[in-house]
Amino acid sequence: MNAVRKQETYTIEDIYALPEGERAELIDGKIYDMAPPNRRHQRISGKLHQVIANYIDSKSGECEVYSAPFAVFLNANNDIYLEPDISVICDKNKLIDDGCKGAPDWIIEIVSPTSRSMDYNKKLFKYRTAGVREYWIIDPMKQQIIVYNFEHDTFEEYSLSDKVKAGIYEDFEIDFAEISVE
């Protein structure tokens, strides 16, 4: 999927005009259709949301975690509308009824065969330039996790059986061996 639609330029109004149940993202005036996630993708996303939310709750944290479909408007003119698999927002002023206005602190994307180019290239660039602090790409096909810490200009690679530390927290890591990805 992730096909680009044919019209020259689209707006946020075009996203809102999509038929019920149809999902797409808007980047620089282009609409990219999104395929429904498969069971494995949903399992990973659900477990990650649960682990992150439990950590935040255990620390009485200020941050909030959201799973797709959750709207992220990366810039002020609304020409970038994305639905990351997991978004962690620590600045409650960015939360609006429609989603998040501005860059979340931490974004996790789970790669599917149709989203590979978007997740590794286009979204990486957009998230970095928008001010996202940390971006994880989880690739079940490659059994790989790439962690970009934009605050420290680093990236690290892990396997889906490693423990991965979240850079936005001092004492939080996710043990992927405990998250069944099969």
Side-chain angles (χ1 to χ4, degrees):
M1 199 83 156
N2 257 343
V4 179
R5 297 196 179 200
K6 302 294 182 218
Q7 187 174 312
E8 280 189 35
T9 303
Y10 291 91
T11 67
I12 195 67
E13 287 76 26
D14 295 308
I15 289 287
Y16 287 130
L18 292 173
E20 184 72 28
E22 193 172 322
R23 291 179 52 211
E25 295 179 310
L26 176 70
I27 301 176
D28 300 332
K30 291 185 173 68
I31 286 185
Y32 297 87
D33 292 317
M34 298 173 68
N38 65 27
R39 184 188 62 81
R40 185 180 197 194
H41 183 284
Q42 286 294 89
R43 179 168 177 77
I44 294 168
S45 179
K47 289 285 191 179
L48 285 172
H49 184 276
Q50 180 180 19
V51 168
I52 295 166
N54 288 346
Y55 171 80
I56 292 169
D57 290 347
S58 75
K59 299 293 185 177
S60 299
E62 293 294 317
C63 301
E64 294 188 23
V65 60
Y66 294 92
S67 296
F70 177 75
V72 172
F73 305 90
L74 274 184
N75 57 10
N77 60 359
N78 287 345
D79 68 348
I80 302 177
Y81 166 94
L82 300 170
E83 293 183 3
D85 291 305
I86 304 283
S87 300
V88 177
I89 297 103
C90 299
D91 180 353
K92 292 200 191 301
N93 292 323
K94 291 182 179 180
L95 294 172
I96 58 174
D97 285 344
D98 292 338
C100 177
K101 190 85 163 170
D105 294 87
W106 180 17
I107 288 179
I108 300 173
E109 293 283 9
I110 302 162
V111 176
S112 64
T114 59
S115 72
R116 183 167 304 285
S117 175
M118 290 286 288
D119 294 337
Y120 279 101
N121 299 304
K122 196 172 287 283
K123 288 183 180 180
L124 171 65
F125 175 76
K126 293 299 180 185
Y127 291 150
R128 179 183 197 118
T129 56
V132 171
R133 294 167 58 197
E134 187 166 352
Y135 175 42
W136 291 18
I137 302 173
I138 298 174
D139 193 330
M141 300 287 289
K142 290 183 175 181
Q143 294 286 304
Q144 176 183 24
I145 304 161
I146 300 176
V147 174
Y148 292 92
N149 185 320
F150 297 137
E151 288 184 310
H152 300 291
D153 202 26
T154 62
F155 82 95
E156 296 181 74
E157 294 182 35
Y158 299 90
S159 78
L160 282 180
S161 59
D162 288 337
K163 290 182 179 178
V164 182
K165 185 184 177 317
I168 70 166
Y169 295 109
E170 289 295 318
D171 62 345
F172 179 48
E173 66 181 12
I174 297 174
D175 187 350
F176 279 86
E178 293 179 3
I179 297 177
S180 175
V181 295
E182 295 305 321

